[in-house]
mmCIF file of all heavy atoms in Angstrom:
data_model
loop_
_atom_site.group_PDB
_atom_site.id
_atom_site.type_symbol
_atom_site.label_atom_id
_atom_site.label_comp_id
_atom_site.label_asym_id
_atom_site.label_seq_id
_atom_site.Cartn_x
_atom_site.Cartn_y
_atom_site.Cartn_z
ATOM 1 N N MET C 305 11.488 111.405 256.529
ATOM 2 C CA MET C 305 10.957 111.256 257.886
ATOM 3 C C MET C 305 9.433 111.139 257.860
ATOM 4 O O MET C 305 8.838 110.387 258.637
ATOM 5 C CB MET C 305 11.361 112.441 258.772
ATOM 6 C CG MET C 305 12.766 112.303 259.349
ATOM 7 S SD MET C 305 13.158 113.656 260.457
ATOM 8 C CE MET C 305 14.585 112.957 261.330
ATOM 9 N N ASN C 306 8.800 111.878 256.946
ATOM 10 C CA ASN C 306 7.329 111.788 256.870
ATOM 11 C C ASN C 306 6.874 110.420 256.373
ATOM 12 O O ASN C 306 5.868 109.886 256.858
ATOM 13 C CB ASN C 306 6.771 112.877 255.944
ATOM 14 C CG ASN C 306 6.789 114.231 256.623
ATOM 15 O OD1 ASN C 306 6.547 114.328 257.830
ATOM 16 N ND2 ASN C 306 7.100 115.275 255.864
ATOM 17 N N ALA C 307 7.626 109.871 255.420
ATOM 18 C CA ALA C 307 7.275 108.531 254.925
ATOM 19 C C ALA C 307 7.396 107.526 256.070
ATOM 20 O O ALA C 307 6.594 106.592 256.180
ATOM 21 C CB ALA C 307 8.183 108.151 253.764
ATOM 22 N N ALA C 308 8.384 107.728 256.950
ATOM 23 C CA ALA C 308 8.548 106.825 258.103
ATOM 24 C C ALA C 308 7.376 106.996 259.071
ATOM 25 O O ALA C 308 6.798 106.007 259.546
ATOM 26 C CB ALA C 308 9.871 107.112 258.802
ATOM 27 N N THR C 309 6.999 108.238 259.349
ATOM 28 C CA THR C 309 5.862 108.497 260.250
ATOM 29 C C THR C 309 4.597 107.830 259.708
ATOM 30 O O THR C 309 3.846 107.178 260.440
ATOM 31 C CB THR C 309 5.647 110.025 260.392
ATOM 32 O OG1 THR C 309 6.853 110.590 260.912
ATOM 33 C CG2 THR C 309 4.479 110.356 261.297
ATOM 34 N N ARG C 310 4.386 107.993 258.411
ATOM 35 C CA ARG C 310 3.198 107.390 257.777
ATOM 36 C C ARG C 310 3.194 105.871 257.970
ATOM 37 O O ARG C 310 2.180 105.277 258.367
ATOM 38 C CB ARG C 310 3.222 107.748 256.284
ATOM 39 C CG ARG C 310 2.213 107.031 255.417
ATOM 40 C CD ARG C 310 2.404 107.497 253.974
ATOM 41 N NE ARG C 310 1.554 106.800 253.033
ATOM 42 C CZ ARG C 310 1.884 105.657 252.450
ATOM 43 N NH1 ARG C 310 3.038 105.082 252.725
ATOM 44 N NH2 ARG C 310 1.064 105.101 251.583
ATOM 45 N N ALA C 311 4.359 105.243 257.725
ATOM 46 C CA ALA C 311 4.433 103.778 257.845
ATOM 47 C C ALA C 311 4.223 103.345 259.300
ATOM 48 O O ALA C 311 3.535 102.353 259.572
ATOM 49 C CB ALA C 311 5.784 103.284 257.332
ATOM 50 N N ILE C 312 4.780 104.107 260.225
ATOM 51 C CA ILE C 312 4.664 103.750 261.647
ATOM 52 C C ILE C 312 3.201 103.847 262.087
ATOM 53 O O ILE C 312 2.666 102.951 262.741
ATOM 54 C CB ILE C 312 5.589 104.667 262.494
ATOM 55 C CG1 ILE C 312 7.052 104.307 262.209
ATOM 56 C CG2 ILE C 312 5.256 104.571 263.991
ATOM 57 C CD1 ILE C 312 8.067 105.351 262.646
ATOM 58 N N VAL C 313 2.556 104.929 261.702
ATOM 59 C CA VAL C 313 1.155 105.127 262.107
ATOM 60 C C VAL C 313 0.280 104.022 261.521
ATOM 61 O O VAL C 313 -0.512 103.386 262.235
ATOM 62 C CB VAL C 313 0.655 106.522 261.656
ATOM 63 C CG1 VAL C 313 -0.854 106.647 261.828
ATOM 64 C CG2 VAL C 313 1.389 107.618 262.423
ATOM 65 N N ARG C 314 0.432 103.757 260.251
ATOM 66 C CA ARG C 314 -0.482 102.803 259.602
ATOM 67 C C ARG C 314 -0.192 101.370 260.062
ATOM 68 O O ARG C 314 -1.113 100.561 260.186
ATOM 69 C CB ARG C 314 -0.411 102.965 258.092
ATOM 70 C CG ARG C 314 -0.923 104.367 257.719
ATOM 71 C CD ARG C 314 -1.514 104.444 256.360
ATOM 72 N NE ARG C 314 -2.162 105.733 256.168
ATOM 73 C CZ ARG C 314 -2.180 106.381 255.013
ATOM 74 N NH1 ARG C 314 -1.572 105.879 253.965
ATOM 75 N NH2 ARG C 314 -2.812 107.529 254.920
ATOM 76 N N THR C 315 1.072 101.062 260.346
ATOM 77 C CA THR C 315 1.379 99.708 260.853
ATOM 78 C C THR C 315 0.813 99.557 262.258
ATOM 79 O O THR C 315 0.245 98.512 262.602
ATOM 80 C CB THR C 315 2.902 99.458 260.868
ATOM 81 O OG1 THR C 315 3.435 99.834 259.614
ATOM 82 C CG2 THR C 315 3.220 98.001 261.148
ATOM 83 N N ALA C 316 0.970 100.594 263.072
ATOM 84 C CA ALA C 316 0.437 100.529 264.444
ATOM 85 C C ALA C 316 -1.067 100.265 264.396
ATOM 86 O O ALA C 316 -1.580 99.401 265.111
ATOM 87 C CB ALA C 316 0.734 101.834 265.178
ATOM 88 N N LEU C 317 -1.764 100.978 263.528
ATOM 89 C CA LEU C 317 -3.223 100.799 263.438
ATOM 90 C C LEU C 317 -3.559 99.388 262.944
ATOM 91 O O LEU C 317 -4.465 98.739 263.465
ATOM 92 C CB LEU C 317 -3.833 101.866 262.523
ATOM 93 C CG LEU C 317 -3.681 103.310 263.055
ATOM 94 C CD1 LEU C 317 -4.099 104.319 262.000
ATOM 95 C CD2 LEU C 317 -4.471 103.515 264.347
ATOM 96 N N ALA C 318 -2.782 98.917 261.977
ATOM 97 C CA ALA C 318 -3.020 97.550 261.468
ATOM 98 C C ALA C 318 -2.796 96.512 262.566
ATOM 99 O O ALA C 318 -3.410 95.447 262.560
ATOM 100 C CB ALA C 318 -2.100 97.277 260.281
ATOM 101 N N GLU C 319 -1.916 96.826 263.498
ATOM 102 C CA GLU C 319 -1.620 95.897 264.612
ATOM 103 C C GLU C 319 -2.611 96.073 265.767
ATOM 104 O O GLU C 319 -2.473 95.451 266.818
ATOM 105 C CB GLU C 319 -0.198 96.145 265.147
ATOM 106 C CG GLU C 319 0.901 95.795 264.161
ATOM 107 C CD GLU C 319 1.186 94.291 264.090
ATOM 108 O OE1 GLU C 319 0.689 93.545 264.944
ATOM 109 O OE2 GLU C 319 1.886 93.888 263.153
ATOM 110 N N GLY C 320 -3.560 97.008 265.603
ATOM 111 C CA GLY C 320 -4.566 97.226 266.643
ATOM 112 C C GLY C 320 -4.073 98.092 267.798
ATOM 113 O O GLY C 320 -4.660 98.081 268.893
ATOM 114 N N LEU C 321 -3.011 98.865 267.563
ATOM 115 C CA LEU C 321 -2.474 99.726 268.625
ATOM 116 C C LEU C 321 -3.058 101.128 268.523
ATOM 117 O O LEU C 321 -3.443 101.582 267.448
ATOM 118 C CB LEU C 321 -0.948 99.860 268.504
ATOM 119 C CG LEU C 321 -0.113 98.596 268.443
ATOM 120 C CD1 LEU C 321 1.358 98.955 268.345
ATOM 121 C CD2 LEU C 321 -0.358 97.744 269.676
ATOM 122 N N GLU C 322 -3.044 101.824 269.650
ATOM 123 C CA GLU C 322 -3.321 103.262 269.621
ATOM 124 C C GLU C 322 -1.993 103.948 269.315
ATOM 125 O O GLU C 322 -0.932 103.479 269.738
ATOM 126 C CB GLU C 322 -3.841 103.682 271.002
ATOM 127 C CG GLU C 322 -4.567 105.000 270.975
ATOM 128 C CD GLU C 322 -5.188 105.323 272.333
ATOM 129 O OE1 GLU C 322 -5.563 104.398 273.082
ATOM 130 O OE2 GLU C 322 -5.265 106.521 272.633
ATOM 131 N N ILE C 323 -2.049 105.049 268.566
ATOM 132 C CA ILE C 323 -0.796 105.726 268.190
ATOM 133 C C ILE C 323 -0.929 107.231 268.405
ATOM 134 O O ILE C 323 -1.910 107.847 267.998
ATOM 135 C CB ILE C 323 -0.370 105.378 266.730
ATOM 136 C CG1 ILE C 323 0.828 106.232 266.265
ATOM 137 C CG2 ILE C 323 -1.498 105.531 265.724
ATOM 138 C CD1 ILE C 323 2.132 105.540 266.322
ATOM 139 N N THR C 324 0.087 107.789 269.052
ATOM 140 C CA THR C 324 0.101 109.226 269.363
ATOM 141 C C THR C 324 1.371 109.840 268.786
ATOM 142 O O THR C 324 2.449 109.225 268.848
ATOM 143 C CB THR C 324 0.087 109.402 270.906
ATOM 144 O OG1 THR C 324 -1.181 108.957 271.383
ATOM 145 C CG2 THR C 324 0.292 110.842 271.320
ATOM 146 N N GLY C 325 1.260 111.048 268.250
ATOM 147 C CA GLY C 325 2.428 111.766 267.752
ATOM 148 C C GLY C 325 2.925 112.737 268.805
ATOM 149 O O GLY C 325 2.139 113.352 269.524
ATOM 150 N N VAL C 326 4.229 112.868 268.900
ATOM 151 C CA VAL C 326 4.824 113.838 269.820
ATOM 152 C C VAL C 326 5.398 114.960 268.961
ATOM 153 O O VAL C 326 6.120 114.698 267.994
ATOM 154 C CB VAL C 326 5.946 113.192 270.668
ATOM 155 C CG1 VAL C 326 6.500 114.190 271.665
ATOM 156 C CG2 VAL C 326 5.446 111.931 271.365
ATOM 157 N N VAL C 327 5.062 116.196 269.299
ATOM 158 C CA VAL C 327 5.460 117.334 268.468
ATOM 159 C C VAL C 327 6.820 117.879 268.943
ATOM 160 O O VAL C 327 7.065 118.018 270.145
ATOM 161 C CB VAL C 327 4.373 118.440 268.537
ATOM 162 C CG1 VAL C 327 4.736 119.614 267.630
ATOM 163 C CG2 VAL C 327 3.017 117.868 268.146
ATOM 164 N N ARG C 328 7.699 118.157 267.959
ATOM 165 C CA ARG C 328 9.039 118.707 268.230
ATOM 166 C C ARG C 328 9.944 117.776 269.032
ATOM 167 O O ARG C 328 10.662 118.190 269.936
ATOM 168 C CB ARG C 328 8.973 120.054 268.953
ATOM 169 C CG ARG C 328 8.491 121.165 268.057
ATOM 170 C CD ARG C 328 8.657 122.551 268.637
ATOM 171 N NE ARG C 328 8.044 123.487 267.720
ATOM 172 C CZ ARG C 328 6.738 123.697 267.628
ATOM 173 N NH1 ARG C 328 5.925 123.046 268.437
ATOM 174 N NH2 ARG C 328 6.258 124.546 266.755
ATOM 175 N N GLY C 329 9.896 116.516 268.746
ATOM 176 C CA GLY C 329 10.853 115.565 269.310
ATOM 177 C C GLY C 329 10.852 115.532 270.826
ATOM 178 O O GLY C 329 9.800 115.578 271.475
ATOM 179 N N TYR C 330 12.049 115.443 271.410
ATOM 180 C CA TYR C 330 12.142 115.319 272.871
ATOM 181 C C TYR C 330 11.642 116.580 273.580
ATOM 182 O O TYR C 330 11.226 116.518 274.735
ATOM 183 C CB TYR C 330 13.583 115.007 273.286
ATOM 184 C CG TYR C 330 14.049 113.616 272.856
ATOM 185 C CD1 TYR C 330 15.324 113.412 272.324
ATOM 186 C CD2 TYR C 330 13.215 112.507 272.998
ATOM 187 C CE1 TYR C 330 15.747 112.155 271.941
ATOM 188 C CE2 TYR C 330 13.629 111.238 272.606
ATOM 189 C CZ TYR C 330 14.897 111.066 272.082
ATOM 190 O OH TYR C 330 15.320 109.814 271.701
ATOM 191 N N THR C 331 11.659 117.707 272.898
ATOM 192 C CA THR C 331 11.132 118.937 273.502
ATOM 193 C C THR C 331 9.645 118.765 273.803
ATOM 194 O O THR C 331 9.174 119.089 274.902
ATOM 195 C CB THR C 331 11.350 120.139 272.545
ATOM 196 O OG1 THR C 331 12.737 120.202 272.246
ATOM 197 C CG2 THR C 331 10.875 121.449 273.140
ATOM 198 N N GLY C 332 8.913 118.212 272.836
ATOM 199 C CA GLY C 332 7.479 117.974 273.025
ATOM 200 C C GLY C 332 7.213 116.853 274.014
ATOM 201 O O GLY C 332 6.195 116.862 274.721
ATOM 202 N N LEU C 333 8.141 115.896 274.072
ATOM 203 C CA LEU C 333 7.965 114.775 275.007
ATOM 204 C C LEU C 333 8.046 115.299 276.445
ATOM 205 O O LEU C 333 7.266 114.901 277.317
ATOM 206 C CB LEU C 333 9.062 113.735 274.742
ATOM 207 C CG LEU C 333 8.853 112.326 275.278
ATOM 208 C CD1 LEU C 333 7.581 111.711 274.720
ATOM 209 C CD2 LEU C 333 10.046 111.440 274.904
ATOM 210 N N ILE C 334 8.965 116.227 276.675
ATOM 211 C CA ILE C 334 9.130 116.791 278.023
ATOM 212 C C ILE C 334 7.985 117.766 278.334
ATOM 213 O O ILE C 334 7.483 117.825 279.460
ATOM 214 C CB ILE C 334 10.511 117.495 278.128
ATOM 215 C CG1 ILE C 334 11.616 116.441 278.087
ATOM 216 C CG2 ILE C 334 10.614 118.353 279.381
ATOM 217 C CD1 ILE C 334 13.019 116.999 277.956
ATOM 218 N N ALA C 335 7.562 118.515 277.313
ATOM 219 C CA ALA C 335 6.503 119.518 277.533
ATOM 220 C C ALA C 335 5.099 118.910 277.512
ATOM 221 O O ALA C 335 4.122 119.584 277.849
ATOM 222 C CB ALA C 335 6.609 120.604 276.467
ATOM 223 N N GLY C 336 4.985 117.673 277.061
ATOM 224 C CA GLY C 336 3.654 117.040 276.988
ATOM 225 C C GLY C 336 2.865 117.493 275.770
ATOM 226 O O GLY C 336 1.641 117.580 275.817
#
Side-chain angles (χ1 to χ4, degrees):
M305 278 184 163
N306 284 323
T309 301
R310 170 181 176 273
I312 290 163
V313 169
R314 296 208 171 145
T315 311
L317 296 171
E319 293 281 349
L321 306 181
E322 199 174 330
I323 172 101
T324 292
V326 183
V327 182
R328 288 191 185 78
Y330 292 138
T331 304
L333 198 59
I334 291 171

